[in-house]
Amino acid sequence: NNDTRTEVATGPLQTAKSQTDVLELIANGSGPLFKLPAGMVRASASTAYGERHIDSQSVRSGLTTVSALSRTGTFTRLSVTLPITSRRGDFSLSANGSVSEASDFGALQSTGYGLTWAPIADLRFSANVDQAESAPSLQQLGNPTLSTPNSPVFDYVSGRTVLVTRTSGGNPSLLQESQNDVTFGVNYAPAKYEGLDVNLSWSRNE
């Protein structure tokens, strides 16, 4: 529960309050599927069901705004790791995918692929590509609108701190987020130096 009261010397009292209720059920499982010459093919899966309800009310300049939002959703994810042997080192491939359903947004999906190469036992290279969709939270959609006068904000143009009226709250017109990630990594953990583990990574996020 959140309850905010803002008193303004030159205007009426502003209030904003909200209540959020959450229910989640999650199940996970993992294990080997079958064996290949290079090793065991392994998989993991998870599924979930959730409910979230948010009720909010704000009073600004004598005007009362009431919002009641709820979301039910399901989530299913499956990932598989496939070992591949090469004369120039050990290769493994991985793939994962997930599908979720938000009652107020529809279907959302995510996919990912990865490659790992270990030319020697102490050195490992990895590359991953992930694409994901996600819906705004109920708080981002339905939080009550609140205006706070005389809030200090640093102005990067003028280089000084100014006082503004800050307006915060949810926006019911928000769209879903699409995210694309590319990551390359190097891990070096020499066995003869116990405790030494060097990691280098490069990533791009859109």
Side-chain angles (χ1 to χ4, degrees):
N1 295 333
N2 292 304
D3 195 346
T4 304
R5 299 166 61 89
T6 304
E7 296 185 10
V8 185
T10 58
L13 175 69
Q14 298 189 60
T15 64
K17 60 182 179 179
S18 64
Q19 176 178 319
T20 303
D21 300 305
V22 180
L23 168 67
E24 289 184 338
L25 301 173
I26 303 173
N28 299 299
S30 63
L33 292 181
F34 53 88
K35 190 174 183 180
L36 294 177
M40 189 67 68
V41 176
R42 306 188 66 87
S44 63
S46 62
T47 184
Y49 171 81
E51 293 185 7
R52 185 176 294 266
H53 307 273
I54 178 171
D55 297 305
S56 65
Q57 176 180 300
S58 64
V59 179
R60 299 175 58 202
S61 303
L63 178 64
T64 301
T65 302
V66 178
S67 176
L69 295 175
S70 64
R71 174 183 293 172
T72 59
T74 57
F75 174 83
T76 303
R77 179 183 178 87
L78 175 65
S79 62
V80 178
T81 301
L82 178 68
I84 301 174
T85 298
S86 169
R87 294 180 180 179
R88 298 184 178 180
D90 292 333
F91 282 90
S92 64
L93 299 174
S94 62
N96 64 79
S98 66
V99 176
S100 60
E101 182 79 23
S103 60
D104 55 342
F105 250 82
L108 301 165
Q109 61 182 7
S110 301
T111 57
Y113 309 93
L115 170 67
T116 302
W117 175 44
I120 58 176
D122 300 338
L123 183 63
R124 185 174 301 273
F125 298 88
S126 62
N128 295 275
V129 177
D130 296 284
Q131 298 176 328
E133 296 177 341
S134 59
S137 67
L138 278 182
Q139 285 80 4
Q140 291 173 321
L141 293 171
N143 268 356
T145 302
L146 178 66
S147 294
T148 306
N150 299 321
S151 298
V153 173
F154 181 74
D155 186 346
Y156 289 92
V157 176
S158 63
R160 59 191 180 92
T161 298
V162 296
L163 298 178
V164 302
T165 298
R166 181 191 297 273
T167 302
S168 60
N171 181 358
S173 299
L174 288 176
L175 302 178
Q176 70 184 39
E177 176 187 281
S178 297
Q179 180 171 315
N180 297 289
D181 294 296
V182 179
T183 305
F184 296 95
V186 181
N187 173 257
Y188 179 59
K192 62 180 180 180
Y193 297 110
E194 184 178 355
L196 177 61
D197 194 342
V198 180
N199 290 280
L200 300 175
S201 64
W202 177 90
S203 61
R204 184 188 69 187
N205 170 264
E206 296 179 350

